[in-house]
Amino acid sequence: MAVSLRIAPHAAIRNLSLLGVIIGFAVSVPAAQLKEARVTQVVKDVKLLPTDAAERPAAVRDEVRDGTAVRTGGIRAAS
């Protein structure tokens, strides 16, 4: 018994159209922007730089909200 794997032309067009719509939707939907985070580990020198306050050392469980920068490093190699 032979099985035909051919698809009718109208079904192929419908499937390709549906695939195009799905890909177009996936590309056009913007990703959610991160608005806050939490410090889970501090290694060496980590500072939080809020826009409305002075720079301070980061501590575990500190919340990092939108508008706060994080500076890492501070240990420089000898030249």
Side-chain angles (χ1 to χ4, degrees):
M1 172 164 45
V3 176
S4 175
L5 298 178
R6 295 193 64 173
I7 298 176
H10 68 282
I13 291 170
R14 184 187 70 221
N15 290 346
L16 287 174
S17 297
L18 180 60
L19 180 62
V21 168
I22 291 171
I23 290 172
F25 182 72
V27 170
S28 67
V29 174
Q33 226 178 4
L34 184 63
K35 296 292 182 184
E36 72 176 47
R38 186 175 306 255
V39 177
T40 59
Q41 182 179 15
V42 176
V43 177
K44 298 189 181 178
D45 185 33
V46 181
K47 304 263 192 233
L48 297 179
L49 295 93
T51 55
D52 58 349
E55 171 183 312
R56 66 180 180 83
V60 174
R61 292 191 301 271
D62 274 346
E63 290 185 359
V64 182
R65 298 184 188 274
D66 192 25
T68 300
V70 178
R71 179 183 296 152
T72 61
I75 307 240
R76 303 200 191 281
S79 6

